[in-house]
Amino acid sequence: MNNYDAEIAAFKKAWAERASQLTQPPSLEEQRRTFDEENSLIPLPAQCAIEEINSDGVSGERLIPKGSDERRAILYHHGGGHTFGSPRSHRHLVGRLAEAAGVTGFNMFYRLAPEHPYPAGLDDAICNYRFLLEKGFAAEHIVVAGESAGGNLTAALLLKLRELGLPLPTGAYLLSPWLDMTQSGEAYERRAPYDPMLTRDALENCAIAYCSTGASRTDPFVSPAKANLAGLPPLLIQVGTDELLLSDSLDFARRAALEGLDVQLQVWRGMVHAWPLFHPMLPTAGLGAIRKAGTWIAEKLASAE
């Protein structure tokens, strides 16, 4: 068994054992605290500086890897079902993406459901994008990115920027994005036996929280897989075969290609949801995906010269 297969087999086993030890599902407060605490222990790349951002209602952090180009940026919105996660939990991932791309990483806060359902998170993402423009970043020097619910937010951000007539970024990186809150894709059934992390019930609870203001799950800003994608910038999508959300990426990439967009879809055999986030346990595939994403981001930003 090679490193790739051995690492994912061990990860799935450990994840299943951990789940079996739970006597009851954790509360949302416990889930938020544990997720932040555990992920914040993963170190940043060596000599990666952190600057706090707290300005005019925009908050997050600026991650500056050693030797990075501070004129170019990744704007990252974290995942967590729109209900948990934070810049703290994703600092290590955004730092490594920024390092791999040789640019500055903006690891940003947005409001979460159920306290702040749709469209609060999307409104914050728009403010975060405007913040970069106001700080002097040209749109062609920005790549927007996110995983899972952050991928949902990133795709919705592109649609909203197009609607508002604001300049679009030079590209978007979507990692295991949740793009269809109707859960209508084939993978929700066919890949369920292979997904140790996500369940339809858990996703349903997140969707209920996010749409509690009465938003339709077929609204393109809620489920970007339902959107007209014409005119969007280049896309990189990474997804694992062993996750319920596989269909979301396949369908989104298909729709993008049919619109003539520059879209690259990478389907990683055996990988679970948002596996680069767990790169300490999945160094071969996790760091490998980060390197590939970093190369793509750097190329898109360079081509915008």
Side-chain angles (χ1 to χ4, degrees), residues 54-107:
N54 196 343
S55 173
D56 298 324
V58 171
S59 62
E61 53 194 24
R62 184 171 179 241
L63 304 176
I64 312 167
K66 183 181 179 181
S68 62
D69 184 347
E70 297 188 36
R71 301 168 301 165
R72 291 167 174 77
I74 300 169
L75 174 63
Y76 197 93
H77 291 102
H78 66 81
H82 292 292
T83 62
F84 66 97
S86 72
R88 183 186 177 200
S89 63
H90 284 64
R91 180 181 296 149
H92 70 91
L93 175 59
V94 181
R96 277 167 178 75
L97 280 171
E99 180 185 53
V103 300
T104 300
F106 284 85
N107 180 28

Side-chain angles (χ1 to χ4, degrees), residues 98 100 121 123 137 139 148 165 186 211 242 255 292 297 304:
D123 290 343
F137 286 92
S148 194
E186 187 176 3
C211 298
D242 290 8
R255 292 173 70 91
K292 286 181 178 293
I297 291 167

Side-chain angles (χ1 to χ4, degrees), residues 183-194 200 243-244 247:
Q183 299 194 53
S184 58
E186 187 176 3
Y188 286 92
E189 293 293 340
R190 291 195 58 181
R191 302 314 294 173
Y194 305 95
R200 298 193 75 162
E243 54 175 309
L244 296 186
S247 287

Side-chain angles (χ1 to χ4, degrees), residues 190-214:
R190 291 195 58 181
R191 302 314 294 173
Y194 305 95
D195 190 332
M197 303 176 70
L198 301 180
T199 66
R200 298 193 75 162
D201 286 346
L203 290 171
E204 176 67 12
N205 290 335
C206 291
I208 289 171
Y210 189 59
C211 298
S212 63
T213 51

Side-chain angles (χ1 to χ4, degrees), residues 35 39 53 58-63 72-81 84-99 101 103-111 121 124-129 131-132 141-155 157 169 171-178 236 238 273-279 286 289-290 293-294 296-297:
F35 190 71
N39 282 282
I53 297 170
V58 171
S59 62
E61 53 194 24
R62 184 171 179 241
L63 304 176
R72 291 167 174 77
I74 300 169
L75 174 63
Y76 197 93
H77 291 102
H78 66 81
F84 66 97
S86 72
R88 183 186 177 200
S89 63
H90 284 64
R91 180 181 296 149
H92 70 91
L93 175 59
V94 181
R96 277 167 178 75
L97 280 171
E99 180 185 53
V103 300
T104 300
F106 284 85
N107 180 28
M108 303 305 289
F109 169 87
Y110 63 91
R111 288 169 292 172
D124 290 344
I126 295 165
C127 289
N128 293 338
Y129 186 78
F131 174 78
L132 263 65
H141 292 164
I142 302 171
V143 166
V144 293
E147 104 287 350
S148 194
N152 173 288
L153 204 60
T154 297
L157 172 61
Y173 165 52
L174 308 178
L175 169 61
S176 297
W178 185 20
L236 170 63
Q238 292 180 330
H273 184 60
W275 72 97
L277 186 64
F278 309 102
H279 62 81
I290 290 171
W296 183 89
I297 291 167

